[in-house]
Amino acid sequence: MNKKDIPPVLVTGATGRVGRVVIDQLLDAGVAVRALTRRPEAAATLPAKVEVFTGDLTVPESLDPALNGAGAVFLVWTAPPQTAEAVVERLAAHVRRVVFLSSPHRTPHPFFQQPNPMAVLHAGIERLIAATGLESTIIRPGMFASNALAWWAPAIRAGEAVRWPYGAAEAAPVDDRDVAAVAARTLHRDGYAGGEYVLTGPESLTQAAQVGAIGDALGRRITFEEMTPDEFRSLSEGTVPNPAVDMLLAAWNAAAGQPAYVTTTVADILGTAPRTFHQWATDHATAFTNGA
Ligand SMILES: NC(=O)c1ccc[n+]([C@@H]2O[C@H](COP(=O)([O-])OP(=O)(O)OC[C@H]3O[C@@H](n4cnc5c(N)ncnc54)[C@H](OP(=O)(O)O)[C@@H]3O)[C@@H](O)[C@H]2O)c1
């Protein structure tokens, strides 16, 4: 099918890490894009070609203008769960295909099998989607490489040591751009309906080694200092929700002493190797040196 014949794709989470790149990928593929945001002023940060709709996942009827005439939806859910059922019903009434950004909660690696309210939310939304007649694809990324920005950039920018718990815990951080590229591919090409894809980076790295890779990208050594879980808990108080802190600590604790789960799915789908964490750090070095 000519891309001009494909109805527009609605991207939710359009101003977020993954959705924003999904937009670029779809535009590059010649697909018409609609973006959903709660903040009309965010339109200024999106490409001019994108049709921007104001809507809120917690107000399901607010999605109708964006859904009318759309063919597929990229669904990102960071909102509370109460309106998920009504939103999924609306998707099923309007579009043919949904690609949902979930997590690897079905993967039998201890890292992904700890109590995790976000995973419970994701599983619930997947059940709602499965109960409709929608063509669906579930994207299951592991830890995003970009978590390093929120976690470590403030200390690195200040020239301080990175103090963090479970330095020996391993992960295979996946570049958000690879997650977005896979999502975009499954939104505009056929053949991915019913698929669920666990996406990881290409290599297992300890958290201390990830900080070391950022140091390599900056051309200087960054000291990593181990912090106790209790210290992490008390320092996170008021900035990170307690369930998220519990989830992270449990995952790192469970992951200690074993390599991270690594898949070849990014390469299998895109035909190109997933970006390494070193590559991610090199491409984002300025974010660790200025206030970006
Ligand atoms: N971080 C990780 O390592 C990781 C790993 C696996 C899976 N995930 C999953 O990835 C998802 C987050 O993706 P992301 O990091 O790309 O997002 P993000 O950067 O956190 O941005 C959140 C997006 O959601 C939108 N949003 C929030 N509340 C909304 C609402 N009530 N109605 C409509 N839109 C709303 C925001 O849009 P506006 O503010 O413009 O309205 C924004 O675009 C989560 O489900 C998370 O569990 C994360």
Side-chain angles (χ1 to χ4, degrees), residues 117-272:
M118 209 62 199
V120 172
L121 171 68
H122 290 153
I125 293 176
E126 287 171 34
R127 278 194 298 275
L128 292 170
I129 291 171
T132 68
L134 282 160
E135 275 181 21
S136 66
T137 305
I138 311 296
I139 306 289
R140 303 186 183 283
M143 283 286 183
F144 294 171
S146 64
N147 291 342
L149 287 172
W151 292 349
W152 303 323
I156 294 171
R157 280 199 293 262
E160 294 165 3
V162 168
R163 303 191 64 247
W164 204 249
Y166 295 107
E170 300 195 25
V174 60
D175 194 306
D176 316 15
R177 296 169 293 184
D178 289 330
V179 177
V182 169
R185 177 78 62 111
T186 65
L187 280 160
H188 74 85
R189 286 213 195 157
D190 290 333
Y192 300 102
E196 36 179 285
Y197 302 109
V198 177
L199 308 180
T200 71
E203 58 185 341
S204 179
L205 289 172
T206 66
Q207 299 203 87
Q210 292 168 47
V211 171
I214 296 167
D216 291 346
L218 299 182
R220 67 181 172 87
R221 187 171 175 281
I222 300 167
T223 305
F224 185 96
E225 285 174 9
E226 189 76 18
M227 170 193 279
T228 66
D230 281 346
E231 259 182 293
F232 181 72
R233 207 181 286 285
S234 62
L235 286 172
S236 304
E237 197 71 46
T239 54
V240 185
N242 287 343
V245 172
D246 291 342
M247 181 272 284
L248 286 169
L249 288 173
W252 290 326
N253 181 48
Q258 61 185 307
Y261 189 79
V262 174
T263 71
T264 59
T265 313
V266 169
D268 296 343
I269 293 181
L270 299 179
T272 51

